């Protein structure tokens, strides 16, 4: 079932060092998990192998693939992180530890906090590769849900739909986004799933034959116009994506034109425009639906030309035209260009800049964004260069400082015992947390448990901490608290109490 050569076949031109690292991680993981079984009774190592395979398919490097093989060793079979570092280096350790930490985050269905939880995932990952390993891990777990106890299965499915599928989308990995959504959808919304499926089946009964006929006619037309090198085929919309669109269109399936889009893939950009000319020469396009995302890429860097035409037999079909390279980026994101040059100090820049892809508004606030022509040096991966082009200063360091002060250095995400996410400035204490929830909670605070342990009120909170405030009716703030707190809100409540609150 599992075969290391299968991995090597997927990786594009691996070096000797790549092969050695992956082979070592492979046998280490196989051995560490040798007595470890999944719910189904199959060897646990299958899960690690499938995760690594997904990472290889995404074009990730040997370090990430190795970390994928090792990602459950700390949590599940008690391997020490020091051992991972000794055997595989600090970078693999960093990635495995990052995935382990992410695994402790749970979404319990409080929609108010869903965006904060996504941000927390991003902040805790620190490096995009941690998140990509987690996505590959989740993808494989979703394929093996049936045997889990129902409450656990439902929680994982909901978390996948609300947290991980949107993150895959924002990373531009459509393939994983679609697969996660379509596996979670029937579990989270069984009735809606059934309804959408029935609607689609009925529509396909009418349409499949007409679409096939149109497909043939398009191929014939393109060849007639001298475009011989091309790949064509239908792309069918995922059921969850169709469900969301149906909700926006009053459940009228006839208003959705891209349920099945005809995809045409040609060698060059010039060919894309020739295809568009050829198609419009034969079929009349719907006004307002011609989108040139080659000249004007979408904000997530999606590129391609879309047009919607009347087929001449009462049908309307969307056509998507792009090059092979654009097609690959659409499905797998831009991460396959990620060069694993982590020992380069420039990576500090890389580690932070990628966050902007997720929350551009959150991070940049209302600062003006200008495109600069100064490109960072060639050692920075291309997809990060793309981001850096939005840098208004030519200095990468200044750009990083902006992001740092706006995101990593300043914000902290912690949990209430119920799992609500509270967003605080970094350096906050449990007192800030209490006042952030309610002034009464702060004013009666007598102690605090962080991650179930009683600690002092001066403890500096860390990302992902679970905070439980202990109150007593006779407890009250003291002037010392003013030195311990970080937020203006807490300081204000404490001052109010010290001035007026005494009974
Ligand atoms: Mn796992």
């Amino acid at each position: 079932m599992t075969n290391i050569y299968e991995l090597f076949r997927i990786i594009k031109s691996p070096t000797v060092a790549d092969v050695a690292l992956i082979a070592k991680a492979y046998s280490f993981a196989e051995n560490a998990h040798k007595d470890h079984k999944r719910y189904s009774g199959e060897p646990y190592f299958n899960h690690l192998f499938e995760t690594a395979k997904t990472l290889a398919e995404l074009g990730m490097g040997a370090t990430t693939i190795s970390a994928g093989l090792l990602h459950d060793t700390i949590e599940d079979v008690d391997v020490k992180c020091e051992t991972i570092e000794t055997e595989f280096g600090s970078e693999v350790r960093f990635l495995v530890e990052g995935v382990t930490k992410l695994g402790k985050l749970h979404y319990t269905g409080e929609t108010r906090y869903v965006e904060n939880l996504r941000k927390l995932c991003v902040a805790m990952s620190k490096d995009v590769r941690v998140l990509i390993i987690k996505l590959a891990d989740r993808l494989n777990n979703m394929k093996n849900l049936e045997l889990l106890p129902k409450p656990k299965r439902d929680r994982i499915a909901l978390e996948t739909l609300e947290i991980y599928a949107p993150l895959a989308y924002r990373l531009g990995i459509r393939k994983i986004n679609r697969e996660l959504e379509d596996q979670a959808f029937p579990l989270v919304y069984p009735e809606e799933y059934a309804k959408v499926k029935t609607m689609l089946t009925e529509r396909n009964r009418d349409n499949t034959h007409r679409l096939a006929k149109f497909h043939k006619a398009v191929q014939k037309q393109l060849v007639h116009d001298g475009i011989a090198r091309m790949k064509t085929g239908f792309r069918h919309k995922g059921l969850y994506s169709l469900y969301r669109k149906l909700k926006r269109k009053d459940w009228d399936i006839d208003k959705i034109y891209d349920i099945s889009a005809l995809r045409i893939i040609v060698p060059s950009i010039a060919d894309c425009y020739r295809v568009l000319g050829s198609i419009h020469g034969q079929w009349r396009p719907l006004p307002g639906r011609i989108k040139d995302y080659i000249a004007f890429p979408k904000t997530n860097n999606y590129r391609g030309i879309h047009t919607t035409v009347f087929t001449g037999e009462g049908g309307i079909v969307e056509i998507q035209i792009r090059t092979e390279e654009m097609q690959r980026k659409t499905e797998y994101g831009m991460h396959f260009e990620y060069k694993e040059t982590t020992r380069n100090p420039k990576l500090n820049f890389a580690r932070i800049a990628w966050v902007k892809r997720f929350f551009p508004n959150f991070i940049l606030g209302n600062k003006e964004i200008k495109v600069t022509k100064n490109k960072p040096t060639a050692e920075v991966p291309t997809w990060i260069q793309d981001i850096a082009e939005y840098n208004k200063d030519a200095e990468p360091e200044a750009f990083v400082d902006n992001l740092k002060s706006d995101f990593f250095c300043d914000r902290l995400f912690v949990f209430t015992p119920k799992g609500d996410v509270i967003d605080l400035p970094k350096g906050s204490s449990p007192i800030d947390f209490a006042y952030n929830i309610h002034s009464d909670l702060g004013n009666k605070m007598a102690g605090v448990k962080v991650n179930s342990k009683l600690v002092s009120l001066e403890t500096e909170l860390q990302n992902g901490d679970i905070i439980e405030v202990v109150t007593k009716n006779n407890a009250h703030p003291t002037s010392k608290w003013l030195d311990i707190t970080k937020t203006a809100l807490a300081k204000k409540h404490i001052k109010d109490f010290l001035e007026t609150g005494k009974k």
Side-chain angles (χ1 to χ4, degrees), residues 430 448-455 459 461 465-468:
V448 67
K449 284 184 186 172
V450 174
N451 304 325
S452 317
K453 275 190 205 125
L454 271 171
V455 295
T459 307
L461 301 179
D465 280 347
I466 301 167
I467 325 282
E468 189 183 343

Side-chain angles (χ1 to χ4, degrees), residues 44 47 71-72 137:
Y44 195 82
H47 164 63
H71 81 266
D72 282 324
D137 168 53

